Amino acid sequence: DHRDLHSFPTRRSSDLTACVALMAVGCGTPKEEPPTFHADVRPLLDQHCVRCHQEDGLGVGDWTDDQIVDAFADLIADRVETGAMPPAVSEPECRDYVGSDVLYVPQESRDIVSQWIAAGRPMGDPADNPGVVVGDVDLVDPDVTLMMPVAYTPTFTDPENPGNEYRCFLADPGSEEIFVTGMDPVIGTDSLVHHVVLNTLDRSDISDEMLADDGWNCIDDMDGDNMLAGWAPGALPVEFPDDYTMTMGGSKVLIIQMHYFQANPEDSGKSDLSGYSFTTSETPGRPLYLVPLGDFSFNIPAGDASYTSGGRIRHSDLGVPVGLEIHSIFPHMHRLGTGYNVSIEHADGTETCLVNGRYDFDNQLTYQFADRPMFEDGDRVNFTCEWDNSADNENQVGEPKDTQYGERTDEEMCFFFTLVSPGAP
């Protein structure tokens, strides 16, 4: 305390010497106890890890079981310390988004896991667990669920697209318009599904081929007129803010596009039955539209470990007479993707960061913004994607080769599916 400095000269030298000695060991401050499993580590696992690491989850191991966590403790610590786990997400410092407190792990939380391991993994008292509430990984209480007509078994017999199959199926929401407030896919066989896309299609455009229960081959053309939703592995439910909706049904049906990818020979002969679930409102809200922004012109050289390409979209390019409120962005690449960045360059020269982060094919998220920026006349959106096309990339499919845009998993994409609403909030 600076107010006590004047008294130091009047104190006995022995007292001062004793105090200096105490300062070397903390000067009387309580000894900091090492973190324990129940008080410190279990809450972090519940908050950041068990959405994937649980029974029937996407990740290996069930981190809700304390004994399994203890057995895997060294591996968990290594993956957390190196940043390999939890999977990469957009940096909240760029723009905060719904669920960032669960999806993003700050360094201080990573340090707690390391300190726990270094202290010998003390368990502590179960009563010390603060009881972190784990977020939902599925849409709560959906009103409508639309599925493929029947289970389908991919054949992967197309010689021009080895290991890939695009199959489309019709789903009819009904003749009455439905006002959607949230959506989430129902995935049948996780190991087969590369992505799911929903497109709308006017009823007058339904062909005889589309009426078959086992769908049709749609790798070259999905058909349809507007994209309603997209999902890839790792994505969480998308729920709209109050008073905003998307519309389906009425004069339009849905096309469910399934991209199947045979990652393992053991998947041969497996079937899939997938679809989408929705929460709805009885009345329409402010309309939302999904706008795909993308780069089709890149060529990633074989062996290049850090290749970047991208593009820009001016507000005037969209032909929209009003500003657009940006609700969310879903970055999408394939297995070579390593990073992405999207920002708005405003007419006044300022810049607004939208998403920026490392890319993980198995953890593709729709980033729903808590504070929604505007994209207005005179602005432009700049976006880039980065890929690792070297043999060292553990996601490399076969030997590195020059890689361009394409639908197959061993080709690449650079897309940002952007949910917007016309006009200011």
Side-chain angles (χ1 to χ4, degrees), residues 163-238:
N164 290 267
E165 185 168 344
Y166 277 67
R167 201 76 184 174
C168 286
F169 306 85
L170 280 188
D172 192 347
S175 58
E176 298 293 326
E177 286 189 335
I178 297 175
F179 307 112
V180 176
T181 59
M183 56 183 69
D184 191 30
V186 180
I187 304 300
T189 306
D190 294 302
S191 61
L192 287 176
V193 181
H194 173 286
H195 77 230
V196 185
V197 170
L198 296 184
N199 256 15
T200 61
L201 177 71
D202 196 274
R203 293 180 184 275
S204 62
D205 293 329
I206 298 175
S207 66
D208 291 340
E209 178 189 42
M210 296 176 179
L211 296 173
D213 283 347
D214 63 350
W216 69 97
N217 184 335
C218 57
I219 190 168
D220 295 320
D221 186 5
M222 181 180 175
D223 297 303
D225 42 34
N226 281 301
M227 186 175 176
L228 188 72
W231 175 91
L236 295 172
V238 175

Side-chain angles (χ1 to χ4, degrees), residues 36-336:
T36 67
F37 177 77
H38 291 293
D40 305 289
V41 176
R42 165 53 66 200
L44 294 179
L45 296 178
D46 289 343
Q47 182 175 1
H48 300 295
C49 305
V50 300
R51 76 180 182 97
C52 293
H53 294 278
Q54 57 178 299
E55 188 175 357
D56 298 326
L58 290 173
V60 175
D62 182 358
W63 297 167
T64 65
D65 187 320
D66 294 352
Q67 291 183 330
I68 293 179
V69 170
D70 188 58
F72 281 88
D74 292 334
L75 178 61
I76 291 172
D78 177 72
R79 301 288 278 173
V80 170
E81 284 181 321
T82 60
M85 282 289 154
V89 294
S90 181
E91 296 287 337
E93 290 80 2
C94 164
R95 175 161 296 275
D96 199 12
Y97 47 88
V98 176
S100 63
D101 57 332
V102 173
L103 299 168
Y104 178 78
V105 184
Q107 186 58 50
E108 52 266 31
S109 296
R110 297 179 184 274
D111 292 341
I112 288 174
V113 178
S114 301
Q115 293 162 9
W116 175 63
I117 297 292
R121 305 203 293 263
M123 296 303 290
D125 188 343
D128 293 337
N129 187 334
V132 173
V133 177
V134 181
D136 293 306
V137 295
D138 297 308
L139 193 64
V140 178
D141 298 328
D143 306 301
V144 176
T145 299
L146 299 173
M147 302 293 292
M148 295 159 45
V150 297
Y152 178 74
T153 304
T155 60
F156 301 114
T157 55
D158 184 348
E160 295 185 3
N161 299 287
N164 290 267
E165 185 168 344
Y166 277 67
R167 201 76 184 174
C168 286
F169 306 85
L170 280 188
D172 192 347
S175 58
E176 298 293 326
E177 286 189 335
I178 297 175
F179 307 112
V180 176
T181 59
M183 56 183 69
D184 191 30
V186 180
I187 304 300
T189 306
D190 294 302
S191 61
L192 287 176
V193 181
H194 173 286
H195 77 230
V196 185
V197 170
L198 296 184
N199 256 15
T200 61
L201 177 71
D202 196 274
R203 293 180 184 275
S204 62
D205 293 329
I206 298 175
S207 66
D208 291 340
E209 178 189 42
M210 296 176 179
L211 296 173
D213 283 347
D214 63 350
W216 69 97
N217 184 335
C218 57
I219 190 168
D220 295 320
D221 186 5
M222 181 180 175
D223 297 303
D225 42 34
N226 281 301
M227 186 175 176
L228 188 72
W231 175 91
L236 295 172
V238 175
E239 297 180 83
F240 307 145
D242 291 342
D243 302 324
Y244 289 85
T245 59
M246 298 183 82
T247 302
M248 66 179 185
S251 64
K252 296 182 182 296
V253 296
L254 291 182
I255 297 174
I256 304 176
Q257 184 197 65
M258 304 296 303
H259 178 184
Y260 296 116
F261 176 60
Q262 189 177 23
N264 300 302
E266 308 90 76
D267 290 334
S268 178
K270 287 185 178 180
S271 297
D272 173 68
L273 181 59
S274 294
Y276 246 88
S277 60
F278 306 89
T279 54
T280 65
S281 170
E282 293 182 357
T283 56
R286 293 192 60 203
L288 289 164
Y289 302 96
L290 197 59
V291 180
L293 309 178
D295 178 13
F296 301 86
S297 61
F298 55 83
N299 178 66
I300 311 170
D304 195 324
S306 183
Y307 182 80
T308 300
S309 185
R312 62 177 59 92
I313 300 290
R314 295 177 177 83
H315 183 274
S316 58
D317 295 335
L318 299 178
V320 180
V322 296
L324 298 175
E325 184 186 12
I326 300 181
H327 285 246
S328 65
I329 292 181
F330 165 32
H332 178 63
M333 289 177 276
H334 289 176
R335 299 184 69 85
L336 302 182

